[in-house]
Amino acid sequence: MSCVVLIGFMGVGKSVVGSALAGKLSWPFLDTDEIVEEQAGIPISTLFEERGEPAFRKLESEAIAIALTEDPSVISLGGGAPTQASNWDLLRKIQAFVVWLDAPVEIIVDRIGTAGSRPLLAGLDQESRNAKIVDMLAVRRSSYEMANLRFFTDNTASPMEWAARLASDLEHLKATA
Ligand code: S3P
């Protein structure tokens, strides 16, 4: 278990829990959204606007391949990455340990807020945005279920505390593997 990859819907806290987990393990933390922005030289929202989602998905797959060369590491993927079968091929090839970070839908809706920086939800009023989140979660669920571990979070603990619990679950799984 030397690459731990966090997947899950927008707003579940992949980046914040992931970077705290990486700190606990003393491993590097990589975020594929950041790699895409570095490679493209523009923010993801601009990339969606100017070049469209397929161009983003292509860069996202490239970013995953780049991130997976860092071993060991904790890597956070964008919320839509697990819907692409080819991304799972990359993850399986290096036997990454994939964690689905999950949270109640109300928390996701609340955290996504006005969604200004989230291109797939931009320009929608609150009701339509919430409905779209529920639809997207339903469609993506089977992709998230392909993870090795589903890890629930909510607002009863801080990201640091979730990271500590996840690190301990991973340690336990490693010891019993
Ligand atoms: C997306 C999620 C975003 C980002 C892009 C598309 C998605 O990442 O990759 O806006 O399809 O769910 P986060 O999950 O980190 O917000």
Side-chain angles (χ1 to χ4, degrees):
M1 196 192 291
S2 47
C3 273
V4 173
V5 174
L6 300 189
I7 63 169
F9 204 74
M10 296 174 256
V12 291
K14 297 178 298 273
S15 301
V16 62
V17 173
S19 68
L21 176 67
K24 293 227 157 284
L25 299 172
S26 301
W27 288 359
F29 172 68
L30 296 106
D31 182 323
T32 59
D33 283 344
E34 280 176 17
I35 299 175
V36 167
E37 292 190 331
E38 273 161 31
Q39 300 282 342
I42 46 175
I44 287 176
S45 49
T46 314
L47 183 57
F48 266 78
E49 261 167 50
E50 292 182 354
R51 295 169 55 190
E53 185 172 351
F56 167 76
R57 295 292 169 207
K58 189 165 176 288
L59 281 171
E60 181 175 55
S61 297
E62 288 167 17
I64 294 170
I66 293 169
L68 291 173
T69 62
E70 187 80 38
D71 183 356
S73 62
V74 177
I75 302 168
S76 158
L77 302 196
T83 62
Q84 312 290 306
S86 59
N87 292 337
W88 281 102
D89 294 341
L90 295 172
L91 297 170
R92 298 297 188 222
K93 195 164 155 200
I94 65 126
Q95 297 181 308
F97 190 83
V98 181
V99 179
W100 170 17
L101 213 60
D102 199 9
V105 64
E106 313 77 56
I107 290 183
I108 292 178
V109 165
D110 192 48
R111 292 212 194 123
I112 292 179
T114 54
S117 62
R118 303 220 142 80
L120 291 173
L121 300 167
L124 299 175
D125 61 39
Q126 192 175 335
E127 200 180 321
S128 318
R129 190 171 62 241
N130 294 355
K132 186 159 180 195
I133 291 171
V134 171
D135 283 354
M136 286 173 79
L137 270 166
V139 169
R140 290 179 172 185
R141 190 183 173 83
S142 59
S143 306
Y144 295 149
E145 279 172 348
M146 290 168 73
N148 301 92
L149 174 72
R150 181 180 187 184
F151 186 82
F152 282 101
T153 63
D154 58 22
N155 287 337
T156 59
S158 68
M160 279 308 281
E161 287 164 332
W162 289 121
R165 290 183 206 180
L166 179 54
S168 132
D169 286 2
L170 294 175
E171 196 50 50
H172 180 72
L173 284 169
K174 204 164 123 190
T176 54

